[in-house]
Amino acid sequence: MGEQAQFSTKHLIGIKYVTTKDIELIFHTADEFKEVINRPIKRVPTLRDVTIANIFFENSTRTRISFELAEKRLSADVINFSASSSSVSKGETLLDTVNNILSMKVDMVVIRHPAAGVPVYLANRVSANIINAGDGTHEHPTQALLDAYSLIEKLGPLSGKKIAIIGDILHSRVALSNIFCLNKLGARVRVCGPPTLIPKHIASLGVEVSHDVESTLRWCDAANVLRIQLERQEIPYLPSLREYAQYYGINAAMLDRIDKPILLMHPGPINRGVELSSDAADSKQSIILQQVENGVAIRMAVLYLLANRN
Ligand code: CP
């Protein structure tokens, strides 16, 4: 890498805890790695002596594969741990599990866990760098970084840009990390969804609130559409997904009606026909697969900057 970059923290726990300078440094570094992964030979020796454990206690497609590819493109040694096939099922604690993995000379841990607070719990107890790959309903920092990076690629600097986050805000770690990230980059943020799925005091985070999807689409430059997270809902927050799709689902006819070129985003996995119809998800306005593509460069940048800090 061209410059001696310095990240301000040892861990990536959440966007709340990083500076705007850190975010800009990640984006600048990701630009360089994006150039690398578009070469015929996509690998650099940057993390050749670093061992990284991907510890996933929750299902994942994009984040797990993206981290693993990022690590391999940086020439790190990679181990993948999945809770379902481990000794966790025999009663081993989280900390014992992680300490056993670390005793095999592992330098960095990428962790996804259904409980909010697990990454910070580990960061306070182990010496390895901890990277949050999603903790319960708390934060998903690399998702917010790749979302903002993808927006900047399309819209330029985000200062003053209007970004809507639409859907199940209450149960979404993507929403919270996006709010922190977009606020730090100077964007205007509006959350939109049914009243039962919007946290009561969310305006205190500096966002606008709406329950009207069509007027929100008319207002924004880009809409980040979220899934209804039924797996995190212990009580019903909606009469049915069918009713949600009717009142809050986005389709191509609605995009045509607003008569304005907005970007459409989604962190995945999409529930087609619920929050997004296929004709909207696959429309020219959709940058969903570009978000996934950018995830590798963003995660390479995060891993590189954290390793470089030691
Ligand atoms: N965006 C996201 O976190 O997707 P996965 O659950 O597939 O990793």
Side-chain angles (χ1 to χ4, degrees):
M1 300 296 291
E3 66 181 67
Q4 203 48 39
Q6 273 295 323
F7 202 52
S8 76
T9 77
K10 180 180 172 183
H11 311 284
L12 181 62
I13 303 299
I15 300 294
K16 185 174 183 183
Y17 311 105
V18 298
T19 64
T20 306
K21 253 190 161 162
D22 286 331
I23 295 171
E24 286 164 356
L25 181 58
I26 292 168
F27 290 169
H28 174 71
T29 311
D31 284 343
E32 297 189 36
F33 284 127
K34 194 160 174 180
E35 191 269 317
V36 168
I37 59 183
N38 280 300
R39 291 181 197 158
I41 296 170
K42 300 171 174 55
R43 193 180 283 251
V44 285
T46 319
L47 296 191
R48 202 176 38 206
D49 300 321
V50 175
T51 304
I52 305 175
N54 300 315
I55 301 181
F56 278 65
F57 284 84
E58 227 186 38
N59 293 342
S60 170
T61 299
R62 282 144 290 269
T63 312
R64 193 180 57 74
I65 292 173
S66 177
F67 265 113
E68 187 174 346
L69 257 184
E71 291 151 5
K72 288 180 171 168
R73 302 251 189 268
L74 292 167
S75 303
D77 289 324
V78 179
I79 49 173
N80 290 310
F81 168 95
S82 163
S84 56
S85 57
S86 74
S87 290
V88 169
S89 60
K90 301 175 196 165
E92 192 169 42
T93 68
L94 169 72
L95 191 56
D96 279 342
T97 302
V98 172
N99 272 331
N100 275 270
I101 293 170
L102 293 181
S103 70
M104 295 182 238
K105 309 295 175 209
V106 167
D107 304 292
M108 305 176 92
V109 170
V110 175
I111 181 129
R112 170 170 285 195
H113 200 283
V118 161
V120 75
Y121 171 84
L122 291 177
N124 289 333
R125 285 165 180 79
V126 303
S127 59
N129 307 87
I130 303 293
I131 298 146
N132 182 2
D135 62 329
T137 57
H138 177 223
E139 280 224 38
H140 191 348
T142 55
Q143 181 68 46
L145 290 166
L146 73 89
D147 288 345
Y149 184 79
S150 304
L151 280 169
I152 291 168
E153 265 188 348
K154 297 289 177 190
L155 300 176
L158 296 186
S159 181
K161 295 288 187 312
K162 297 176 187 166
I163 314 299
I165 306 172
I166 300 174
D168 181 357
I169 311 298
L170 184 67
H171 299 98
S172 175
R173 56 196 176 207
V174 174
L176 192 57
S177 287
N178 260 273
I179 289 168
F180 289 135
C181 192
L182 293 167
N183 277 346
K184 285 181 191 218
L185 297 172
R188 286 179 63 189
V189 182
R190 179 186 288 193
V191 296
C192 174
T196 51
L197 291 177
I198 304 271
K200 282 191 176 54
H201 303 291
I202 197 149
S204 66
L205 294 180
V207 301
E208 298 173 29
V209 177
S210 167
H211 306 298
D212 182 334
V213 173
E214 200 156 325
S215 74
T216 295
L217 293 178
R218 254 189 210 100
W219 170 85
C220 71
D221 299 302
N224 201 345
V225 185
L226 307 179
R227 184 171 64 89
I228 299 296
Q229 309 215 19
L230 289 177
E231 74 276 19
R232 299 210 179 105
Q233 300 183 12
E234 280 155 17
I235 55 166
Y237 288 81
L238 297 165
S240 68
L241 286 183
R242 198 164 146 205
E243 188 165 312
Y244 180 83
Q246 189 179 343
Y247 289 100
Y248 288 94
I250 297 169
N251 54 43
M254 192 184 274
L255 294 174
D256 286 346
R257 258 197 322 272
I258 67 166
D259 197 25
K260 181 186 161 195
I262 64 163
L263 298 174
L264 214 50
M265 308 169 76
H266 196 300
I270 303 171
N271 286 152
R272 286 175 183 259
V274 181
E275 68 272 13
L276 272 183
S277 66
S278 283
D279 56 11
D282 303 330
S283 67
K284 284 203 178 80
Q285 285 154 276
S286 164
I287 60 164
I288 294 169
L289 292 179
Q290 282 138 285
Q291 292 172 258
V292 178
E293 182 186 339
N294 284 333
V296 178
I298 284 290
R299 290 175 174 122
M300 286 173 82
V302 166
L303 293 164
Y304 165 77
L305 290 167
L306 288 176
N308 202 38
R309 207 188 158 274
N310 288 334

